[in-house]
Amino acid sequence: MANHTTTEASFENQPTWAGGRSPFNVSYGKLMMWIFLLSDAFTFSSLLVQYGTQRFSNVVTPITTKWPDPASIFNHFPGMHGFHLPLLFVSVMTFILILSSVTMVLAVEAGHRNSKKEVEKFMIYTILGGLAFLSCQAWEWYTFIHEGARLDGNTFGITKQGYDHLHKVSFGSHFEWEVGDRTFGPVPFAALFFIVTGFHGFHVFSGVVINVVVYIMTVRGVFERRGHYEMIEKAGLYWHFVDLVWVFVFTFFYLI
Amino acid sequence: MEFYNKPGEYDAINYIPHTESHGTKELWKTFWLLLGITLFDFMIYFVMPASGFRNFIFIFFGLVKAYFIVGAFMHLKHEKMTLALIILVPTIFICGLIIGLLYEGSALEVMKSM
């Protein structure tokens, strides 16, 4: 027993970088999750770098090679066919993801208080939020593919006629593309959309899987026996990172 | 300093520091902020005509949202400064790469039209 106290005391009195303990005052698993997220941030930024470069090399003239205006393409909402509603659906998706982020962080907070019941409740909400987001994305992809988007082509270039046509309609008014409004645009447009949102969607999917695994572990009392709910924090870090990436996808693919 | 592990169990791998609950007040505040900024973006999108300044507003508020997600939700505000730095400093270089390659993209367009 005396031996234990001396070990503890020597631990606390060690200088930060003397070894034997984490100089960052986090556990090994959490530190590694942070490092993984940093490397994942590099992955996403390489995709965003490519997107930015392609977009900036297709800006001005002639109008057929112009990068398509997101408002002219992502203007659908489920159950409201034929109306010009840009940004509305994707804002709902953003809201769902922010909400599931909050329930995740509430699960982490409940974990700090060792409240198993609350952790279970908030993990369920988070999983449902993730599934709702994935369903929305599936609908978005379905609509986009249905309109002719492919990995190897882009029929979303706007002609002069289409540009004028689009700018005459306002939010919520009836809108159908006319023949001759569209032409071939820069090829990487749809491909980059599929790759970047697909990569993000894959992260959401794996986040949901991780959350389900952590939820099952919580229900079976693994963390209760372990005495701490640190695993919820690690899953939470990953889940918030997915939300963080969506902030930038939302900004660069829909807003700008 | 408190640990979840029992005394004498410490080693570099199984070291789990005790984490405190900071309450849910800050979290809900962050949620309303994020929601407010998203709604503000939504409003700006329809009120302002497309311009470089509007894009600047969107990117600025995107970074503000990122600050709140990383700071409050991912708890980085309450972590040690050294950990925050090893996470945040490399991302500055990413921003540099993005800005540099946007210029390259513009140059590519000039070359294509020649």
Side-chain angles (χ1 to χ4, degrees):
Chain A
M1 194 62 207
N3 191 21
H4 282 168
T5 10
T6 46
T7 318
E8 192 175 13
S10 68
F11 252 96
E12 283 194 36
N13 296 331
Q14 287 257 24
T16 313
W17 293 91
R21 68 182 177 108
S22 166
F24 304 115
N25 199 27
V26 290
S27 70
Y28 178 79
K30 217 159 118 184
L31 181 64
M32 286 303 117
M33 183 48 102
W34 270 111
I35 300 293
F36 165 70
L37 293 183
L38 185 62
S39 75
D40 220 14
F42 288 152
T43 313
F44 274 106
S45 15
S46 77
L47 293 171
L48 284 177
V49 161
Q50 198 197 351
Y51 174 77
T53 312
Q54 290 294 343
R55 193 165 169 170
F56 264 59
S57 66
N58 289 294
V59 190
V60 200
T61 50
I63 199 153
T64 47
T65 68
K66 203 179 146 159
W67 197 263
D69 185 5
S72 68
I73 298 156
F74 308 110
N75 58 354
H76 306 284
F77 199 85
M80 302 184 94
H81 182 71
F83 287 95
H84 182 61
L85 303 161
L87 209 65
L88 194 61
F89 188 58
V90 79
S91 295
V92 171
M93 286 166 75
T94 308
F95 175 71
I96 290 171
L97 209 55
I98 290 176
L99 207 60
S100 78
S101 235
V102 172
T103 54
M104 184 80 228
V105 90
L106 289 174
V108 172
E109 200 269 337
H112 286 157
R113 291 185 279 107
N114 284 332
S115 164
K116 188 182 165 209
K117 272 276 162 291
E118 275 186 72
V119 171
E120 283 173 15
K121 183 178 79 180
F122 286 124
M123 284 311 287
I124 280 285
Y125 291 161
T126 310
I127 292 163
L128 287 178
L131 290 176
F133 180 85
L134 283 173
S135 322
C136 289
Q137 202 165 38
W139 188 85
E140 180 105 329
W141 273 45
Y142 171 78
T143 318
F144 195 41
I145 294 168
H146 193 69
E147 293 206 320
R150 297 289 181 273
L151 272 174
D152 58 349
N154 174 12
T155 53
F156 294 96
I158 305 179
T159 59
K160 185 80 183 68
Q161 181 197 332
Y163 197 75
D164 296 339
H165 177 194
L166 175 73
H167 282 256
K168 258 186 272 170
V169 294
S170 57
F171 183 77
S173 57
H174 187 77
F175 179 69
E176 297 280 352
W177 283 105
E178 286 164 15
V179 185
D181 281 347
R182 278 187 181 164
T183 177
F184 289 97
V187 175
F189 169 72
L192 275 170
F193 178 85
F194 284 132
I195 290 167
V196 176
T197 60
F199 218 78
H200 175 263
F202 176 66
H203 274 75
V204 178
F205 173 73
S206 39
V208 169
V209 171
I210 289 170
N211 285 349
V212 168
V213 170
V214 167
Y215 171 73
I216 292 170
M217 285 170 85
T218 312
V219 171
R220 298 176 80 182
V222 175
F223 305 130
E224 209 172 27
R225 281 196 295 280
R226 208 178 275 176
H228 58 85
Y229 284 76
E230 228 233 351
M231 192 58 84
I232 308 280
E233 275 184 62
K234 287 179 231 168
L237 281 178
Y238 184 77
W239 191 251
H240 296 313
F241 178 75
V242 167
D243 189 20
L244 181 67
V245 170
W246 181 254
V247 166
F248 290 104
V249 172
F250 176 65
T251 305
F252 292 119
F253 278 82
Y254 295 98
L255 284 175
I256 289 177
Chain B
M1 210 181 289
E2 272 187 274
F3 306 97
Y4 283 121
N5 318 43
K6 290 183 203 77
E9 272 184 356
Y10 309 134
D11 57 64
I13 302 292
N14 296 314
Y15 171 97
I16 298 174
H18 186 85
T19 33
E20 285 289 322
S21 162
H22 293 271
T24 54
K25 209 178 152 197
E26 189 196 358
L27 309 176
W28 281 111
K29 208 182 82 187
T30 311
F31 167 72
W32 290 114
L33 261 167
L34 291 175
L35 191 63
I37 292 172
T38 307
L39 288 176
F40 182 73
D41 278 348
F42 188 79
M43 197 188 73
I44 287 282
Y45 187 84
F46 292 107
V47 170
M48 270 176 90
S51 67
F53 180 62
R54 196 180 78 165
N55 291 350
F56 171 78
I57 291 177
F58 288 150
I59 293 170
F60 175 75
F61 280 110
L63 291 174
V64 170
K65 277 198 266 187
Y67 169 78
F68 282 112
I69 290 172
V70 176
F73 284 179
M74 294 171 95
H75 217 252
L76 200 60
K77 256 194 272 183
H78 306 287
E79 302 286 5
K80 269 199 154 187
M81 181 63 98
T82 38
L83 178 63
L85 285 179
I86 64 163
I87 305 300
L88 296 177
V89 169
T91 56
I92 296 170
F93 293 91
I94 296 175
C95 297
L97 180 67
I98 290 176
I99 292 166
L101 276 158
L102 292 185
Y103 278 105
E104 291 302 312
S106 307
L108 214 63
E109 171 148 53
V110 177
M111 280 182 71
K112 277 196 281 191
S113 60
M114 272 201 292

